[in-house]
Amino acid sequence: MLSAAVFAVSGCGGFLDTCYNINQTDEINAQNAGSIWSFAYAFYAPLGHGLQSIDYNVFATVSDECQQTSPSSEALYFNRGVINESVNPLFTRYQDCYEGIRAANFFLDYVADGKGEALLALNRDIVTDEYNYKRDVQSLNWFIAEAHIAKAYYYSELIRMFGGVPIVENFDPSTEELVSRSSYDACVEYIVEEIDNWKNSLALNWDEYVDREGRFTYGVALAIKARTLLYAASPLNNPDNDRTRWEEALKAAGDVINSGMYSLAPDYDMFSGEDPLSSPEAIYIVRTYVSSDPEKANYPISTPGGQSGACPTQNIVDAYEYVDTPDEKNPYLNRDPRFYASIVYNGAEWNGRIIAEGPSETDDMANTNASRTGYYLRKFLTDELNLEQNQTAQHNWIAYRYAEVLLNYAEAANELYGPDVVPTGQQLSARQALQMVRDRASTSLPQVTASSTDEFREVLKHERQVELAFEDHRYWDLLRWKDAEDVLNRPVQGVRISKVNGVYSYTVVDVAERKFNEANYRLPFLRSEIENSKGTLVQNPGY
């Protein structure tokens, strides 16, 4: 019952102070200028981050990237293709998104028609305090633009999961008005319109206002638009392969590139601790909290306090190319450096020791709750935390980064012009954009020789699999490409490790089955939501 729902804002404390008293009367709020900032920060509260997408861990376990160690997990509903109108672990994300939209709408109504400026001037001499007053008015205007971008962001998340959703402009608990579901295309149009109308009213950056880091900026708005339009141009949402959609996706990604605001970080290993905060590549970062939760969830079980968690599969390991001649005795030598930054393997140094997964060794795969694939997650995690002594670290989730934009651009350029044409008004060909990403990883990677659009499309898919591994892209990429029925109906694999006379050997084995149904290209609305809508919310086909 979307139009009548008023969700309680969560997330009090932490980086963005999102607490406000929803029980205050309008009269009290009208006399409290500080409530402007409370209501403004509130629409940031439901953003969420990818370190706890499912099972309090990364979303990679629902795809072919990772296998959840625990025999009981929410990821299994995806792995077995049994998502339905009664069971959808991502429906909390649906609620969070609408909570964020409600908070943005509430804020915009609260400060509309000059009410915000009037509150800022209340009980204040705006002549003697002119500097601070103008600073507050500028911040208010930025927040107004940010609220519109927040709505665009939340709707982009919703349509990625559900297709078309209700576009709600007003959450008025005093009415019983219900909002019908809009089409996917109408939602995309709404998102783009919000961004285009408000992007130029956003701050370019927060270099002079470090206390405002974490709020949306001009570049963030462009990145949201670029991802949204790439999805809208993809086969799932563009079955007739409308060329204009690819042109829109190309221009949107090109706008980020041509802005000159971002560049690739010199080193791919930039995802843990404070590293994202200083990266020239990070477009938008969700700062989470100081904790050891991701480490507890994913350190090897043999590391005191570790629970194994999301374990990379052989499927993703095989995607990492060799930069030199493969070693028959050690398949982990001479790999793409992104492999070493992302995955812990037998023989790797991790947490101050060497991982040893052979029979009767410290990390023996036969041990209870040891990795079922022979691999552990390394990306995002801080090394050598003492979990038994509750040692913690800062965690930051990069929601948008420049490498993704380059790959978005390369995909759209290839679909329109093939690998080697530089589109009019742009700086790069598809191959050049792709090569920038590969060269950052290693200039020793094999040369990309694909010459046709079809061949280069497969190269792009592979590059996204490797470059964006575990970052909450793979599952949605497979869906938008309409590849999920193929890829996610294959078993995920791992290795069985043996050791004879001090020499390891590896046998690839099936670890778990995967099941994906045609209906799963869109997630289902919960039955309770359908019933509460009184027929205005139509369920996705197949559920």
Side-chain angles (χ1 to χ4, degrees):
M1 192 171 176
L2 296 171
S3 62
V6 178
F7 300 109
V9 171
S10 59
C12 297
F15 180 71
L16 292 177
D17 184 6
T18 55
C19 297
Y20 66 85
N21 185 356
I22 62 174
N23 296 315
Q24 289 185 23
T25 66
D26 289 340
E27 182 179 357
I28 293 173
N29 284 331
Q31 299 174 15
N32 181 6
S35 62
I36 289 178
W37 314 128
S38 296
F39 291 138
Y41 280 120
F43 58 73
Y44 282 103
L47 277 177
H49 58 84
L51 295 173
Q52 293 187 340
S53 292
I54 194 167
D55 298 311
Y56 299 99
N57 212 326
V58 292
F59 200 61
T61 53
V62 309
S63 72
D64 60 342
E65 292 180 302
C66 285
Q67 174 64 32
Q68 174 59 248
T69 299
S70 172
S72 176
S73 69
E74 290 188 331
L76 285 175
Y77 294 115
F78 287 89
N79 299 160
R80 295 173 179 173
V82 293
I83 296 292
N84 59 61
E85 62 179 6
S86 298
V87 180
N88 179 0
L90 286 193
F91 206 75
T92 55
R93 186 64 187 145
Y94 171 93
Q95 295 170 321
D96 287 344
C97 287
Y98 274 112
E99 178 182 307
I101 293 165
R102 184 212 65 85
N105 283 335
F106 182 91
F107 167 75
L108 291 171
D109 180 68
Y110 187 72
V111 300
D113 303 321
K115 290 182 289 187
E117 289 89 339
L119 270 177
L120 292 177
L122 194 66
N123 300 320
R124 179 183 203 168
D125 187 335
I126 61 174
V127 176
T128 60
D129 195 25
E130 181 182 13
Y131 174 80
N132 288 322
Y133 173 70
K134 287 184 175 179
R135 186 179 188 273
D136 286 348
V137 170
Q138 177 63 79
S139 189
L140 170 63
N141 290 332
W142 279 329
F143 266 127
I144 290 171
E146 290 164 43
H148 286 279
I149 302 307
K151 291 199 290 181
Y153 166 77
Y154 288 121
Y155 280 117
S156 73
E157 289 287 289
L158 285 165
I159 65 173
R160 181 169 72 164
M161 294 184 286
F162 297 94
V165 295
I167 297 175
V168 183
E169 292 286 9
N170 177 37
F171 281 90
D172 185 352
S174 66
T175 72
E176 290 297 324
E177 181 183 358
L178 296 166
V179 181
S180 298
R181 184 179 180 185
S182 295
S183 69
Y184 177 89
D185 290 349
C187 291
V188 171
E189 184 178 347
Y190 177 86
I191 292 165
V192 171
E193 186 176 78
E194 285 287 89
I195 292 172
D196 285 348
N197 287 345
W198 291 95
K199 64 185 180 183
N200 292 325
S201 298
L202 294 161
L204 287 178
N205 56 61
W206 298 116
D207 291 349
E208 297 180 12
Y209 304 95
V210 293
D211 58 318
R212 298 173 185 181
E213 287 286 355
R215 290 166 54 179
F216 294 142
T217 61
Y218 176 78
V220 178
L222 296 185
I224 295 170
K225 180 180 175 181
R227 185 187 294 178
T228 299
L229 288 176
L230 179 73
Y231 274 63
S234 300
L236 176 64
N237 304 307
N238 186 19
D240 296 330
N241 200 26
D242 182 348
R243 184 179 177 86
T244 61
R245 294 200 180 195
W246 287 111
E247 290 170 347
E248 291 169 350
L250 174 71
K251 184 180 184 306
D255 285 346
V256 183
I257 296 169
N258 296 336
S259 74
M261 297 171 66
Y262 307 101
S263 60
L264 292 174
D267 189 344
Y268 180 80
D269 194 1
M270 58 178 167
F271 298 96
S272 62
E274 300 286 349
D275 289 348
L277 302 179
S278 59
S279 173
E281 185 168 338
I283 298 175
Y284 189 67
I285 298 169
V286 179
R287 302 191 188 189
T288 61
Y289 43 80
V290 175
S291 78
S292 58
D293 291 348
E295 287 75 21
K296 287 178 180 176
N298 293 296
Y299 272 8
I301 195 70
S302 54
T303 298
Q307 300 170 13
S308 295
C311 294
T313 63
Q314 188 66 38
N315 309 57
I316 182 66
V317 170
D318 286 343
Y320 291 94
E321 298 165 86
Y322 288 93
V323 296
D324 204 342
T325 306
D327 187 319
E328 293 183 0
K329 295 182 178 180
N330 188 344
Y332 309 121
L333 288 179
N334 302 325
R335 291 279 187 147
D336 182 333
R338 292 174 289 189
F339 170 74
Y340 305 110
S342 304
I343 295 174
V344 178
Y345 54 94
N346 185 54
E349 184 175 348
W350 178 240
N351 288 324
R353 64 183 181 83
I354 302 298
I355 299 297
E357 297 183 274
S360 301
E361 292 187 317
T362 305
D363 302 282
D364 189 345
M365 292 178 64
N367 294 340
T368 303
N369 293 327
S371 170
R372 296 172 59 190
T373 64
Y375 305 102
Y376 293 94
L377 186 66
R378 186 169 199 158
K379 198 172 186 177
F380 317 121
L381 306 184
T382 299
D383 195 3
E384 296 193 56
L385 286 189
N386 190 322
L387 303 182
E388 290 188 308
Q389 295 184 9
N390 295 317
Q391 189 177 3
T392 60
Q394 175 67 51
H395 298 90
N396 299 284
W397 178 260
I398 305 178
Y400 293 87
R401 63 184 179 96
Y402 190 57
E404 180 207 342
V405 173
L406 287 170
L407 294 175
N408 293 350
Y409 175 90
E411 186 172 345
N414 179 61
E415 293 299 328
L416 288 165
Y417 305 108
D420 295 305
V421 174
V422 179
T424 302
Q426 303 299 335
Q427 303 178 36
L428 303 167
S429 68
R431 191 185 305 275
Q432 288 170 331
L434 177 85
Q435 198 62 49
M436 288 173 64
V437 176
R438 288 175 65 81
D439 285 348
R440 189 269 300 277
S442 173
T443 55
S444 298
L445 283 168
Q447 183 179 359
V448 173
T449 59
S451 58
S452 70
T453 294
D454 290 346
E455 291 173 342
F456 201 77
R457 183 186 302 122
E458 296 309 308
V459 171
L460 282 162
K461 289 179 178 181
H462 167 265
E463 197 63 30
R464 287 184 71 94
Q465 182 184 15
V466 172
E467 174 68 25
L468 305 177
F470 317 124
E471 294 180 49
D472 199 7
H473 287 279
R474 176 65 172 169
Y475 181 80
W476 308 109
D477 278 346
L478 291 173
L479 265 60
R480 69 180 179 86
W481 291 326
K482 290 297 293 286
D483 288 346
E485 284 177 277
D486 176 22
V487 176
L488 297 183
N489 276 310
R490 305 174 192 166
V492 292
Q493 296 182 313
V495 289
R496 181 183 298 119
I497 301 172
S498 58
K499 189 175 186 181
V500 178
N501 297 327
V503 178
Y504 288 109
S505 61
Y506 303 88
T507 303
V508 175
V509 296
D510 290 349
V511 171
E513 296 296 320
R514 288 288 193 266
K515 177 66 176 177
F516 186 91
N517 303 307
E518 184 179 4
N520 301 145
Y521 281 108
R522 302 291 192 201
L523 294 181
F525 300 99
L526 287 188
R527 181 185 304 166
S528 58
E529 193 74 6
I530 298 291
E531 293 174 351
N532 289 339
S533 76
K534 299 179 181 178
T536 58
L537 184 62
V538 179
Q539 182 62 278
N540 278 321
Y543 294 105

PDB file of all heavy atoms in Angstrom, residues 471-482:
ATOM      1  N   GLU A 471      31.195  -7.245  -6.984  1.00  0.00           N
ATOM      2  CA  GLU A 471      30.739  -5.888  -6.688  1.00  0.00           C
ATOM      3  C   GLU A 471      29.253  -5.685  -6.965  1.00  0.00           C
ATOM      4  O   GLU A 471      28.796  -4.563  -7.164  1.00  0.00           O
ATOM      5  CB  GLU A 471      31.558  -4.875  -7.493  1.00  0.00           C
ATOM      6  CG  GLU A 471      33.019  -4.811  -7.096  1.00  0.00           C
ATOM      7  CD  GLU A 471      33.795  -3.798  -7.920  1.00  0.00           C
ATOM      8  OE1 GLU A 471      33.333  -2.648  -8.048  1.00  0.00           O
ATOM      9  OE2 GLU A 471      34.867  -4.154  -8.450  1.00  0.00           O
ATOM     10  N   ASP A 472      28.491  -6.761  -6.979  1.00  0.00           N
ATOM     11  CA  ASP A 472      27.045  -6.686  -7.186  1.00  0.00           C
ATOM     12  C   ASP A 472      26.690  -6.273  -8.602  1.00  0.00           C
ATOM     13  O   ASP A 472      25.761  -5.502  -8.835  1.00  0.00           O
ATOM     14  CB  ASP A 472      26.386  -5.731  -6.179  1.00  0.00           C
ATOM     15  CG  ASP A 472      24.878  -5.962  -6.046  1.00  0.00           C
ATOM     16  OD1 ASP A 472      24.383  -6.937  -6.639  1.00  0.00           O
ATOM     17  OD2 ASP A 472      24.212  -5.167  -5.359  1.00  0.00           O
ATOM     18  N   HIS A 473      27.433  -6.796  -9.571  1.00  0.00           N
ATOM     19  CA  HIS A 473      27.130  -6.561 -10.984  1.00  0.00           C
ATOM     20  C   HIS A 473      26.789  -7.849 -11.733  1.00  0.00           C
ATOM     21  O   HIS A 473      25.931  -7.840 -12.623  1.00  0.00           O
ATOM     22  CB  HIS A 473      28.325  -5.896 -11.686  1.00  0.00           C
ATOM     23  CG  HIS A 473      28.530  -4.469 -11.322  1.00  0.00           C
ATOM     24  ND1 HIS A 473      27.816  -3.437 -11.871  1.00  0.00           N
ATOM     25  CD2 HIS A 473      29.392  -3.889 -10.446  1.00  0.00           C
ATOM     26  CE1 HIS A 473      28.210  -2.280 -11.363  1.00  0.00           C
ATOM     27  NE2 HIS A 473      29.171  -2.532 -10.496  1.00  0.00           N
ATOM     28  N   ARG A 474      27.475  -8.929 -11.411  1.00  0.00           N
ATOM     29  CA  ARG A 474      27.407 -10.132 -12.231  1.00  0.00           C
ATOM     30  C   ARG A 474      25.978 -10.653 -12.403  1.00  0.00           C
ATOM     31  O   ARG A 474      25.546 -10.923 -13.528  1.00  0.00           O
ATOM     32  CB  ARG A 474      28.299 -11.219 -11.603  1.00  0.00           C
ATOM     33  CG  ARG A 474      28.262 -12.578 -12.303  1.00  0.00           C
ATOM     34  CD  ARG A 474      28.828 -12.523 -13.692  1.00  0.00           C
ATOM     35  NE  ARG A 474      28.957 -13.860 -14.260  1.00  0.00           N
ATOM     36  CZ  ARG A 474      29.235 -14.114 -15.532  1.00  0.00           C
ATOM     37  NH1 ARG A 474      29.412 -13.114 -16.388  1.00  0.00           N
ATOM     38  NH2 ARG A 474      29.350 -15.349 -15.961  1.00  0.00           N
ATOM     39  N   TYR A 475      25.248 -10.804 -11.314  1.00  0.00           N
ATOM     40  CA  TYR A 475      23.889 -11.352 -11.404  1.00  0.00           C
ATOM     41  C   TYR A 475      23.019 -10.482 -12.309  1.00  0.00           C
ATOM     42  O   TYR A 475      22.330 -10.985 -13.202  1.00  0.00           O
ATOM     43  CB  TYR A 475      23.278 -11.453 -10.012  1.00  0.00           C
ATOM     44  CG  TYR A 475      21.881 -12.030  -9.992  1.00  0.00           C
ATOM     45  CD1 TYR A 475      21.681 -13.406 -10.062  1.00  0.00           C
ATOM     46  CD2 TYR A 475      20.763 -11.200  -9.901  1.00  0.00           C
ATOM     47  CE1 TYR A 475      20.395 -13.944 -10.043  1.00  0.00           C
ATOM     48  CE2 TYR A 475      19.477 -11.725  -9.879  1.00  0.00           C
ATOM     49  CZ  TYR A 475      19.303 -13.088  -9.948  1.00  0.00           C
ATOM     50  OH  TYR A 475      18.031 -13.615  -9.925  1.00  0.00           O
ATOM     51  N   TRP A 476      23.087  -9.163 -12.107  1.00  0.00           N
ATOM     52  CA  TRP A 476      22.238  -8.266 -12.880  1.00  0.00           C
ATOM     53  C   TRP A 476      22.703  -8.165 -14.327  1.00  0.00           C
ATOM     54  O   TRP A 476      21.874  -7.989 -15.237  1.00  0.00           O
ATOM     55  CB  TRP A 476      22.205  -6.895 -12.199  1.00  0.00           C
ATOM     56  CG  TRP A 476      21.836  -6.991 -10.752  1.00  0.00           C
ATOM     57  CD1 TRP A 476      22.654  -6.788  -9.683  1.00  0.00           C
ATOM     58  CD2 TRP A 476      20.561  -7.374 -10.218  1.00  0.00           C
ATOM     59  NE1 TRP A 476      21.963  -7.007  -8.512  1.00  0.00           N
ATOM     60  CE2 TRP A 476      20.680  -7.372  -8.808  1.00  0.00           C
ATOM     61  CE3 TRP A 476      19.336  -7.713 -10.786  1.00  0.00           C
ATOM     62  CZ2 TRP A 476      19.620  -7.692  -7.964  1.00  0.00           C
ATOM     63  CZ3 TRP A 476      18.270  -8.039  -9.947  1.00  0.00           C
ATOM     64  CH2 TRP A 476      18.413  -8.023  -8.564  1.00  0.00           C
ATOM     65  N   ASP A 477      24.006  -8.293 -14.559  1.00  0.00           N
ATOM     66  CA  ASP A 477      24.491  -8.334 -15.938  1.00  0.00           C
ATOM     67  C   ASP A 477      23.944  -9.547 -16.677  1.00  0.00           C
ATOM     68  O   ASP A 477      23.501  -9.451 -17.829  1.00  0.00           O
ATOM     69  CB  ASP A 477      26.023  -8.365 -15.965  1.00  0.00           C
ATOM     70  CG  ASP A 477      26.655  -6.991 -15.806  1.00  0.00           C
ATOM     71  OD1 ASP A 477      25.940  -5.974 -15.936  1.00  0.00           O
ATOM     72  OD2 ASP A 477      27.880  -6.920 -15.555  1.00  0.00           O
ATOM     73  N   LEU A 478      23.988 -10.696 -16.032  1.00  0.00           N
ATOM     74  CA  LEU A 478      23.466 -11.907 -16.672  1.00  0.00           C
ATOM     75  C   LEU A 478      21.989 -11.770 -16.996  1.00  0.00           C
ATOM     76  O   LEU A 478      21.511 -12.265 -18.025  1.00  0.00           O
ATOM     77  CB  LEU A 478      23.705 -13.120 -15.767  1.00  0.00           C
ATOM     78  CG  LEU A 478      25.165 -13.552 -15.593  1.00  0.00           C
ATOM     79  CD1 LEU A 478      25.269 -14.655 -14.546  1.00  0.00           C
ATOM     80  CD2 LEU A 478      25.766 -14.022 -16.915  1.00  0.00           C
ATOM     81  N   LEU A 479      21.259 -11.081 -16.120  1.00  0.00           N
ATOM     82  CA  LEU A 479      19.831 -10.865 -16.383  1.00  0.00           C
ATOM     83  C   LEU A 479      19.623  -9.923 -17.556  1.00  0.00           C
ATOM     84  O   LEU A 479      18.863 -10.230 -18.481  1.00  0.00           O
ATOM     85  CB  LEU A 479      19.139 -10.315 -15.125  1.00  0.00           C
ATOM     86  CG  LEU A 479      18.466 -11.348 -14.213  1.00  0.00           C
ATOM     87  CD1 LEU A 479      19.476 -12.362 -13.686  1.00  0.00           C
ATOM     88  CD2 LEU A 479      17.744 -10.661 -13.059  1.00  0.00           C
ATOM     89  N   ARG A 480      20.297  -8.781 -17.545  1.00  0.00           N
ATOM     90  CA  ARG A 480      20.028  -7.788 -18.589  1.00  0.00           C
ATOM     91  C   ARG A 480      20.494  -8.269 -19.957  1.00  0.00           C
ATOM     92  O   ARG A 480      19.927  -7.882 -20.988  1.00  0.00           O
ATOM     93  CB  ARG A 480      20.645  -6.434 -18.224  1.00  0.00           C
ATOM     94  CG  ARG A 480      22.154  -6.377 -18.246  1.00  0.00           C
ATOM     95  CD  ARG A 480      22.648  -4.966 -17.868  1.00  0.00           C
ATOM     96  NE  ARG A 480      24.098  -4.884 -17.859  1.00  0.00           N
ATOM     97  CZ  ARG A 480      24.836  -4.632 -18.933  1.00  0.00           C
ATOM     98  NH1 ARG A 480      24.262  -4.465 -20.111  1.00  0.00           N
ATOM     99  NH2 ARG A 480      26.151  -4.552 -18.839  1.00  0.00           N
ATOM    100  N   TRP A 481      21.522  -9.131 -19.986  1.00  0.00           N
ATOM    101  CA  TRP A 481      21.974  -9.703 -21.248  1.00  0.00           C
ATOM    102  C   TRP A 481      21.103 -10.874 -21.712  1.00  0.00           C
ATOM    103  O   TRP A 481      21.309 -11.399 -22.806  1.00  0.00           O
ATOM    104  CB  TRP A 481      23.416 -10.206 -21.112  1.00  0.00           C
ATOM    105  CG  TRP A 481      24.451  -9.156 -20.945  1.00  0.00           C
ATOM    106  CD1 TRP A 481      24.461  -7.896 -21.491  1.00  0.00           C
ATOM    107  CD2 TRP A 481      25.672  -9.271 -20.190  1.00  0.00           C
ATOM    108  NE1 TRP A 481      25.597  -7.234 -21.118  1.00  0.00           N
ATOM    109  CE2 TRP A 481      26.368  -8.049 -20.322  1.00  0.00           C
ATOM    110  CE3 TRP A 481      26.250 -10.283 -19.423  1.00  0.00           C
ATOM    111  CZ2 TRP A 481      27.597  -7.818 -19.706  1.00  0.00           C
ATOM    112  CZ3 TRP A 481      27.482 -10.063 -18.812  1.00  0.00           C
ATOM    113  CH2 TRP A 481      28.142  -8.833 -18.953  1.00  0.00           C
ATOM    114  N   LYS A 482      20.185 -11.299 -20.884  1.00  0.00           N
ATOM    115  CA  LYS A 482      19.364 -12.507 -21.115  1.00  0.00           C
ATOM    116  C   LYS A 482      20.246 -13.761 -21.187  1.00  0.00           C
ATOM    117  O   LYS A 482      19.950 -14.722 -21.906  1.00  0.00           O
ATOM    118  CB  LYS A 482      18.525 -12.375 -22.399  1.00  0.00           C
ATOM    119  CG  LYS A 482      17.395 -11.359 -22.327  1.00  0.00           C
ATOM    120  CD  LYS A 482      16.333 -11.701 -21.279  1.00  0.00           C
ATOM    121  CE  LYS A 482      15.536 -12.938 -21.586  1.00  0.00           C
ATOM    122  NZ  LYS A 482      14.550 -12.754 -22.649  1.00  0.00           N
TER     123      LYS A 482
END
